[in-house]
Amino acid sequence: MPTTRIILDTDPGADDALAILLMLASPEIKLEALTTVHGNVTLDKTTRNALALLEFMQEKNIPVAQGCSVPLVKPPHQAQGEVVHGASGMGRTNLPGPKTQTIKAHAVDYLIERFLAEPKELTLFAIGPLTNVALAIRQEPKFAECVKELVIMGGAIRSGGNMSPLAEFNISEDPHAAHIVFNSGIPITLIPLDATYKCLLTYADIERLNKTDSPIARFVRDVTADYMEFYLKYEGFAGCALHDPLTVAAVIAPELLSLESHYVDVDISGGVSTGKTYADFMKVAKKPANIKVALDVKGREFVELFIKRMENLAKQ
Ligand code: RIB
Ligand code: CA
């Protein structure tokens, strides 16, 4: 089976943690490095969480490079993230503080170094604000042509937003970065809220998983505890959307995704719809398609796949 070699840019974050577990549980994937970015919580916390999670998973060969702490233009607002992901960013888990450290290189320099060293061999996943990726594109003109594929969790096409009525969090947190990335020429697959909101992990799923009575099952329960409470309180649903984990389906179960190629961009005009992503379905702009976007998904099948892989991981 061909292995997809992945570098993951991430802002852990409860669902980021689940995406990392799913990548580690998938034989189709070799997770080669993490780069951290501001987003759900502050950069020092997203970086700490990335290091602590890899130690929890006893992963000793996955380097972590720390990236940008603020968006390119907009001020950050992490307060929103802490409501959903807990003060630490990892819900109610109590992972020990990491003993390992990040590598010395800044995430942007590390991304440039890795992708230029092996052009078109590595796949980049971005499941937080796109600040690091945008700066790599701007700093090194050759970067974009060296990325085999970029898979992004972000955006809301026909769906409403989750950060504002129109905008999804990752894109809304740094819309200028997203505009640079969307127009970079990199082959992009975008996994927006249109699909991720159909992948809902429920309390019943958590209970089922915890029949395995394992540290992994308890971690999934604890890392999603605040997330689940948030959804119950604000969205009236006892569960949580597997936003970041669904990106992994692009490699392990692409048949579950309904992908369409369109010209996609993001509003950076500064008005009320700033951060809103849109697909030019009517080809008004007469621009070539730049993104494959998942407008639908077999959501329950993906959740079942996620649980199965967590059960397997728990037995390892
Ligand atoms: O809108 C969902 C996205 O925002 C996910 O990546 C979640 O981790 C948050 O970063
Ligand atoms: Ca994220």
Side-chain angles (χ1 to χ4, degrees):
M1 158 197 334
T3 304
T4 301
R5 299 173 57 199
I6 292 174
I7 292 181
L8 173 68
D9 192 72
T10 178
D11 64 331
D15 60 326
D16 300 68
L18 299 184
I20 292 166
L21 290 189
L22 184 55
M23 286 188 175
L24 295 174
S26 299
E28 305 88 338
I29 288 173
K30 182 170 184 288
L31 180 56
E32 298 208 356
L34 300 185
T35 53
T36 58
V37 67
H38 66 90
N40 286 317
V41 287
T42 53
L43 179 69
D44 59 320
K45 289 182 181 177
T46 62
T47 303
R48 177 208 177 280
N49 294 336
L51 291 166
L53 181 60
L54 292 176
E55 281 182 26
F56 168 68
M57 295 304 293
Q58 297 173 24
E59 289 289 344
K60 298 183 171 43
N61 302 312
I62 299 178
V64 177
Q66 182 167 270
C68 296
S69 59
V70 289
L72 297 184
V73 177
K74 277 183 63 186
H77 21 23
Q78 271 104 15
Q80 156 89 3
E82 296 188 0
V83 171
V84 179
H85 300 269
S88 71
M90 294 285 262
R92 294 179 201 160
T93 61
N94 268 314
L95 297 183
K99 297 184 188 58
T100 48
Q101 298 190 335
T102 61
I103 61 171
K104 290 216 172 342
H106 186 282
V108 174
D109 298 325
Y110 181 76
L111 289 171
I112 291 168
E113 178 199 334
R114 288 296 311 272
F115 281 90
L116 265 69
E118 296 188 83
K120 293 287 187 194
E121 293 293 328
L122 295 167
T123 297
L124 178 58
F125 272 59
I127 57 175
L130 293 166
T131 314
N132 291 338
V133 181
L135 284 181
I137 292 164
R138 281 287 185 266
Q139 181 174 319
E140 174 45 69
K142 294 197 194 81
F143 178 76
E145 70 199 36
C146 293
V147 179
K148 182 178 179 186
E149 182 182 13
L150 168 58
V151 181
I152 298 169
M153 190 282 135
I157 303 295
R158 293 192 177 104
S159 163
N162 62 352
M163 186 63 188
S164 76
L166 294 168
E168 176 279 327
F169 178 80
N170 286 339
I171 306 302
S172 164
E173 200 56 13
D174 198 338
H176 304 89
H179 177 71
I180 290 169
V181 174
F182 289 0
N183 291 283
S184 65
I186 297 174
I188 294 174
T189 297
L190 182 71
I191 309 293
L193 296 182
D194 306 64
T196 62
Y197 266 128
K198 294 185 178 176
C199 300
L200 298 174
L201 189 71
T202 67
Y203 282 117
D205 295 325
I206 295 285
E207 257 169 64
R208 192 169 113 207
L209 178 58
N210 275 273
K211 287 201 172 53
T212 56
D213 185 23
S214 68
I216 292 282
R218 286 190 289 277
F219 177 85
V220 173
R221 178 195 63 201
D222 297 344
V223 81
T224 55
D226 290 317
Y227 214 157
M228 295 266 198
E229 244 177 50
F230 175 86
Y231 271 85
L232 193 54
K233 191 169 169 195
Y234 292 99
E235 312 234 7
F237 179 84
C240 70
L242 294 176
H243 298 299
D244 290 338
L246 185 58
T247 57
V248 185
V251 175
I252 67 174
E255 69 283 359
L256 298 183
L257 299 171
S258 300
L259 291 165
E260 295 181 19
S261 292
H262 292 286
Y263 179 73
V264 173
D265 205 347
V266 53
D267 179 355
I268 52 172
S269 61
V272 69
S273 58
T274 293
K276 169 64 183 159
T277 47
Y278 59 89
D280 186 6
F281 293 111
M282 294 165 56
K283 301 185 179 11
V284 173
K286 296 191 177 23
K287 291 186 177 179
N290 59 339
I291 289 181
K292 275 191 304 184
V293 54
L295 292 169
D296 203 351
V297 63
K298 291 178 178 158
R300 192 64 220 166
E301 285 88 327
F302 175 73
V303 175
E304 288 298 328
L305 174 61
F306 173 79
I307 294 165
K308 189 103 209 83
R309 298 249 167 144
M310 289 303 106
E311 285 170 342
N312 294 343
L313 195 61
K315 289 175 196 144
Q316 278 174 17

